[in-house]
Amino acid sequence: MEIDVRKAADFLKANDDYLILMHGSPDGDTLGCGYALCGALQRMGKRAKAVCPDEIPHKFDYLSKAAEVQEFEPKTVVCVDVADPKLLGKLENIGKTAQLCIDHHESNVEYAERTLVRPDYAAACELVYEVINALGVPFDKELANCIYTGTATDTGCFKFSNTTAQTHIIAAEMIKYGAEFAQINYVNFDLKTQGRIKLEQEVLNNIRYYDEGRVALIAVPLSLLERLPDVDSEDVGALSNMPRQIAGVEVGICIKEKKSGVYKVSMRTSELVNAADVCALYGGGGHARAAGCSFNGATMEQVEVKIVKSACEAVRQALNK
Amino acid sequence: MEIDVRKAADFLKANDDYLILMHGSPDGDTLGCGYALCGALQRMGKRAKAVCPDEIPHKFDYLSKAAEVQEFEPKTVVCVDVADPKLLGKLENIGKTAQLCIDHHESNVEYAERTLVRPDYAAACELVYEVINALGVPFDKELANCIYTGTATDTGCFKFSNTTAQTHIIAAEMIKYGAEFAQINYVNFDLKTQGRIKLEQEVLNNIRYYDEGRVALIAVPLSLLERLPDVDSEDVGALSNMPRQIAGVEVGICIKEKKSGVYKVSMRTSELVNAADVCALYGGGGHARAAGCSFNGATMEQVEVKIVKSACEAVRQALNK
């Protein structure tokens, strides 16, 4: 059942002993939602804990300050920023019993008894902000840090097209409540590990341009990751956007070797080419500007030849239109 | 004479035939101010032109759409985001005759007849926004693009500590008026030339760590820039922040060879070290977190040995405190 902010707040007021679930491979939005909602419920005198199936990166340690650790037997399950219980990993079965889900994904499968979803919101934290307001809990620095983190991290620091006027207005509110935004942005957007620097360096050394620089490709073989043990999946994930950032590049491609003979292709495009169409040729999919596909039982070179050929053809078709 | 927004608007209403001067080596803020104010005055039926002493980078072409090109003999000079007429290069002498200056630099030397200055504003565009409101000119997409550009580019896309709640509120307003923020942010923050990529690659290949990674140094010799002809000064300038972005680095140093035997050192620090103090040892200065100094008649290696020694000493002193 889809509900509105008012009804979600009424439900949260009427119940107690909350288990708040945040999705696996946690990001700033799910964690910001979880700890902000947990802290707000505690400030109302409720018992609440926020739990994530995976380890939380240390850079997000500050978020947990919004709530205290409480021990109790949960009675009410709430999922935040979780479009599908599958995203809860080992907590999937608990997630399926959720009485409330607060989310901003269009792909939400409406698994919870009550779903509060706003696909036009850049961050689920924008929705949690509205819920906390409806609960009547006043904001403080710790809650503000959580909400700010979700809005900033889900928009590339207000850079991407999903940002709305409302996103900025909420950020402004959070700054007024003391959100430590400069430090939050530093750890989320500027800080890089030595491993990440080394990874970028190696990848840049092997960037390949095709079709007069309209197609650019980087490759991340397993052997590279084995040589750089302190590189994590977030470091590798961040590479996907890199080739498309180069002036003149219409199609940016990143090939990652996941395990021996298994490759994941990430494609980012500018104006001309529909990335989802190209990736669909290989059984993949996604969005017009960001898509992906997988290859099994091939070599890196074979994958590169295939995907580059398709990308160049798509560019040529678009130019000939 | 210092004036307020109301008085600045009254002055602009009472006069005509405006020459609006933007500072040399123009950035998004001075250009956003200049074209927005020019366009607003034209929409009031006034004659106005915005002029910059230096060539305007092509990525800012969209800003000039806020105003039309008009030919007339100027009578009233207004400077925007210009703290000192010296920053006007070949237009310095005209700048000295300014009847109005709108600026946000604490260092403004109050050279104009009337100065409207707000050092607590992140961008001069925030002040021009208030002036345009006081003039009663309604915003449209083109004016909004200008004001948005100034606020975004002067704050690292709302990332840096100079950002305020007001900055976000103005950004929200500009988005409501149709500012094409995603494209603006793409060209200002994500897009890199192939030369820039090559430069980053070469510099990363030679990054040096000292004092267990607490000091990191990159060097940009003239020979490197000669090998990369399509690299511009903006590309080189962007490197200064790179070493400090690495996790664990307290002092990030970038040495640039300006001409043979002439070196410019840029220093960025985290919490421990005062960059201005270290640079002062070599006759330089700046701020606590960002400072610089110069060396003449030395080799790159000699400069590196000196500045690294001082940086490591400063780290050790801070750790022993």
Side-chain angles (χ1 to χ4, degrees), chain A residues 240-254:
Chain A
S240 299
N241 293 315
M242 203 189 257
R244 217 271 306 194
Q245 290 179 358
I246 302 164
V249 170
E250 289 292 338
V251 183
I253 300 166
C254 176

Side-chain angles (χ1 to χ4, degrees), chain A residues 15 27 35 78 113 188-189 198 210 212 223-224 235 279 290 296 321:
Chain A
N15 291 276
D27 59 15
Y35 287 116
V78 180
E113 279 178 40
N188 280 294
F189 299 108
K198 190 89 189 131
Y210 296 94
E212 297 170 39
S223 57
L224 173 57
D235 294 332
C279 290
N296 288 303
K321 253 181 201 161

Side-chain angles (χ1 to χ4, degrees), chain A:
Chain A
M1 172 178 58
E2 277 209 35
I3 60 169
D4 62 13
V5 169
R6 184 74 265 158
K7 287 229 169 83
D10 288 344
F11 173 82
L12 291 168
K13 281 179 194 167
N15 291 276
D16 203 345
D17 300 322
Y18 289 98
L19 177 66
I20 301 166
L21 299 183
M22 308 178 285
H23 67 67
S25 305
D27 59 15
D29 195 27
T30 199
L31 296 171
C33 286
Y35 287 116
L37 185 60
C38 186
L41 290 167
Q42 289 179 357
R43 283 160 182 72
M44 293 167 71
K46 309 261 184 199
R47 278 179 296 266
K49 51 183 153 189
V51 174
C52 179
D54 295 332
E55 205 186 334
I56 296 172
H58 281 302
K59 67 173 181 178
F60 289 126
D61 282 350
Y62 65 94
L63 293 172
S64 62
K65 289 184 190 159
E68 52 183 48
V69 177
Q70 296 182 332
E71 285 306 322
F72 61 93
E73 195 54 47
K75 290 201 198 100
T76 319
V77 175
V78 180
C79 295
V80 286
D81 197 38
V82 180
D84 188 314
K86 284 179 189 156
L87 303 170
L88 288 165
K90 62 188 178 192
L91 302 175
E92 178 177 353
N93 282 332
I94 307 178
K96 284 178 178 166
T97 70
Q99 283 114 308
L100 174 62
C101 170
I102 303 175
D103 186 27
H104 71 129
H105 292 95
E106 189 143 27
S107 56
N108 190 291
V109 296
E110 302 211 14
Y111 56 97
E113 279 178 40
R114 296 161 194 80
T115 304
L116 171 60
V117 63
R118 293 277 183 281
D120 52 325
Y121 283 22
C125 265
E126 295 183 31
L127 202 41
V128 169
Y129 162 83
E130 292 182 357
V131 169
I132 292 174
N133 271 337
L135 289 171
V137 176
F139 278 91
D140 52 32
K141 187 178 80 178
E142 285 71 29
L143 293 178
N145 279 341
C146 290
I147 300 296
Y148 182 90
T149 297
T151 58
T153 56
D154 257 24
T155 58
C157 211
F158 313 99
K159 209 163 61 178
F160 301 142
S161 59
N162 62 342
T163 310
T164 67
Q166 174 183 275
T167 318
H168 279 288
I169 288 167
I170 293 173
E173 280 290 297
M174 296 305 103
I175 290 175
K176 284 180 193 165
Y177 286 113
E180 293 152 309
F181 63 93
Q183 180 61 17
I184 291 170
N185 293 331
Y186 178 65
V187 300
N188 280 294
F189 299 108
D190 280 345
L191 200 61
K192 295 179 178 184
T193 60
Q194 281 195 25
R196 165 83 171 267
I197 294 282
K198 190 89 189 131
L199 176 69
E200 288 187 5
Q201 170 196 336
E202 299 255 5
V203 160
L204 285 177
N205 283 343
N206 286 298
I207 194 163
R208 267 94 79 185
Y209 295 101
Y210 296 94
D211 198 15
E212 297 170 39
R214 284 189 282 261
V215 174
L217 180 140
I218 58 176
V220 189
L222 269 183
S223 57
L224 173 57
L225 297 179
E226 280 158 6
R227 270 194 294 125
L228 302 174
D230 56 337
V231 161
D232 63 22
S233 62
E234 203 185 341
D235 294 332
V236 179
L239 295 174
S240 299
N241 293 315
M242 203 189 257
R244 217 271 306 194
Q245 290 179 358
I246 302 164
V249 170
E250 289 292 338
V251 183
I253 300 166
C254 176
I255 309 178
K256 289 166 205 155
E257 188 178 11
K258 304 300 276 185
K259 23 184 206 181
S260 183
V262 178
Y263 300 89
K264 171 92 183 64
V265 170
S266 302
M267 183 174 286
R268 302 285 183 271
T269 59
S270 297
E271 303 294 305
L272 288 180
V273 172
N274 186 311
D277 289 351
V278 179
C279 290
L281 297 173
Y282 302 100
H287 306 278
R289 302 279 86 88
C293 55
S294 296
F295 289 85
N296 288 303
T299 66
M300 183 70 94
E301 288 66 33
Q302 289 168 330
V303 174
E304 177 165 347
V305 166
K306 280 186 188 175
I307 197 76
V308 165
K309 186 162 172 281
S310 301
C312 289
E313 275 173 14
V315 170
R316 233 163 294 141
Q317 274 178 22
L319 289 174
N320 289 339
K321 253 181 201 161

Side-chain angles (χ1 to χ4, degrees), chain B residues 20-34 37 78-84 87-88 100-105 107-108 111 116-117 121-128 150 153-154:
Chain B
I20 300 165
L21 299 182
M22 309 178 285
H23 67 68
S25 305
D27 58 16
D29 195 27
T30 200
L31 296 170
C33 286
L37 185 60
V78 180
C79 295
V80 286
D81 196 38
V82 180
D84 188 314
L87 302 170
L88 289 164
L100 173 62
C101 170
I102 302 175
D103 186 27
H104 71 129
H105 292 94
S107 56
N108 189 291
Y111 55 96
L116 171 60
V117 64
Y121 282 23
C125 266
E126 296 183 31
L127 201 41
V128 169
T153 56
D154 258 24

